[in-house]
Amino acid sequence: MKIQSLQQWQEVVDKIIPDLQHNILLLKGNLGAGKTTFTQFLLKNLGSEDEVNSPTYSIVNEYNTPKGKIYHFDLYRLKNIEEVYDIGIEEYLDNAFLCIIEWPEVYEEELYGLKYHTMSIVNTGDEREISFE
């Protein structure tokens, strides 16, 4: 899927929500690709009235939706798997309607055997190429 405008994020969300079957969503993309913008559209569509911001410095943000808690992680600044466990990620995963994890590479091996989705956003300059599995 390719998008060229901010408004097209809604189309992305409309296509993804019906396919969102697992409570873990890995978001991959370079800086400025649109990971947080996508998350803002997604949470609004899931009924959250909370203000959605990047968890770059807080590492995890918590949002409320009618279906349950959504936790939005940014693991960019974490150096190793021990730091991921130190923030209590397993408890979040166990108690969430959805966990959205930006920069998941430091934790990805630990997800072996769990069911999750991966969304990749590639910013080519003129457009964003999005894949979802």
Side-chain angles (χ1 to χ4, degrees):
M1 177 173 7
K2 294 182 181 191
I3 64 171
Q4 297 176 326
S5 70
L6 187 62
Q7 294 77 19
Q8 288 179 298
W9 281 113
Q10 184 60 50
E11 295 171 25
V12 172
V13 168
D14 289 343
K15 288 180 182 174
I16 287 175
I17 284 180
D19 295 332
L20 206 55
Q21 300 169 1
H22 311 302
N23 77 325
I24 302 170
L25 172 60
L26 308 182
L27 281 184
K28 297 182 175 185
N30 54 351
L31 288 170
K35 296 179 297 292
T36 299
T37 301
F38 162 78
T39 302
Q40 291 169 336
F41 276 85
L42 178 64
L43 266 69
K44 181 180 178 199
N45 281 263
L46 292 174
S48 179
E49 296 179 8
D50 297 334
E51 183 178 338
V52 177
N53 296 304
S54 174
T56 300
Y57 296 104
S58 60
I59 300 179
V60 62
N61 289 343
E62 177 182 318
Y63 303 107
N64 295 301
T65 72
K67 295 184 178 192
K69 298 271 187 206
I70 294 181
Y71 298 104
H72 181 198
F73 296 87
D74 184 330
L75 304 183
Y76 182 76
R77 297 184 313 129
L78 302 186
K79 309 261 184 289
N80 56 54
I81 193 62
E82 288 78 23
E83 290 182 344
V84 177
Y85 284 123
D86 285 347
I87 65 169
I89 197 164
E90 291 173 308
E91 186 150 334
Y92 287 109
L93 294 176
D94 290 342
N95 295 296
F97 165 68
L98 179 63
C99 285
I100 301 166
I101 306 174
E102 294 187 25
W103 302 99
E105 290 77 8
V106 70
Y107 185 63
E108 209 164 354
E109 270 186 37
E110 303 301 311
L111 293 171
Y112 181 78
L114 296 178
K115 294 181 179 183
Y116 59 89
H117 297 284
T118 302
M119 181 172 157
S120 297
I121 307 168
V122 177
N123 184 352
T124 64
D126 296 332
E127 61 190 10
R128 285 167 171 78
E129 296 176 8
I130 298 160
S131 64
F132 178 83
E133 45 186 86

